[in-house]
Amino acid sequence: LGIDPWTGLGFVQCTEKREWQVVQFSRTSQVKLGDEVMSIGLMMSDPAWPVYVGTAYVSSKLRVPNDLVFVSGGRLTGSCSPVFAADGRAVGIIGRQLPLGYEAPTEKGMAPLQLVDQQQAAFFTPVEEFVHVLESIPSDGKVARLPWMGINKFEAINQDLKDILKLDKPAVKIDEVIPKQPAAKAGLADRDIIVEMDGKPLESLATPDLTVKNFVRQLMRMRVGTVVKLKVLSGTASKEVNVTLEEMPTRPNEAKQYFNKSIGLLIREKVPLDEFLDKTGSSTVPGLVVVGMVKDSPVALAGLQGGDVITNVNNQPVTKADSFKEIVEKSLAAGATTPLQLLVRRGEQAQVITVRPTTGS
């Protein structure tokens, strides 16, 4: 049916005709330290006994900034299993478990070990972290787009800046407002400081960095089209702005890529955000971005660098990964040592780089 991009929850519609036991998740977990919890898992290796149950006790709760509930004194079942409170309420899901740290004696003394037991869960994600997704299950068969405020970075406020501003509450600093995007349209600017969201002060967590992560977490749980009300300090003045969240544009890491093993080159297509995120003189130049190269490969030996923009291959302009692939593979098929002429933009400078494939590649 679809995937929620922030929580990673995927939803499927089963077409098998059978009676399914419905699990109704509670809206809140409401578990306390010492409470017994249970989970039901599938033992896929044993078809005769496919279902098994685990029990444990709540030992601690942690904000990182996501809520995690740690357990001890027993065992819960494997990842993706539902977790139930003692009164039968479904209160969470077991996610991927972190490696467990141990020490073992060796000839050189005690050495740290990291062990992962797929059948032993140390913590689970409480329902508060994903109940908002259950209220609006995706149904278009796609990974939904995250909401977008049009700000590239949010930064923590250090104590020196807090003292200067006489700020005694949690805050988040805005950095890199993208032109023509929601934040810019609302009048936000670099170095503005957010102190409230939707009429509430920002939540104070253990460190300023966690406060920033929690602010972003709250944003990512909102829907596209939501109007976010922010109270902002701009210099010495305070102002309130309304920002309408839009659909997040394609990020550079989502752009179409192509890797050629023969010359050891990985490129990607440009996305509109490159114009604002790229701080070099090639930000508006049409072409393909060099993502990476194999060490001592033909392109590395020829002098190509990460971040270069390839604008032409063998005197043919390229802006799409498929066209680049076609030109390069056709040239390489003509002869193992046929050189490739790349016109490259590096910052403000344009240069021709000749790539000579190695014999027998």
Side-chain angles (χ1 to χ4, degrees), residues 270 278-285 305 307-309 311 343-351:
K270 279 199 163 190
D278 184 355
K279 305 303 180 183
T280 71
S282 58
S283 59
T284 59
V285 175
Q305 296 180 9
D308 286 347
V309 177
T311 60
L343 181 58
V344 173
R345 183 69 175 266
R346 184 176 297 164
E348 301 287 350
Q349 303 297 320
Q351 57 183 296

Side-chain angles (χ1 to χ4, degrees), residues 91 107 194 258 347:
V91 295
E107 293 180 355
I194 301 171
Y258 167 67

Side-chain angles (χ1 to χ4, degrees), residues 55-84:
T55 65
Y57 297 87
V58 175
S59 59
S60 63
K61 296 181 180 181
L62 186 66
R63 293 289 305 278
V64 288
N66 300 47
D67 286 317
L68 294 177
V69 179
F70 282 77
V71 298
S72 62
R75 288 190 174 193
L76 294 181
T77 51
S79 296
C80 303
S81 302
V83 179
F84 300 86

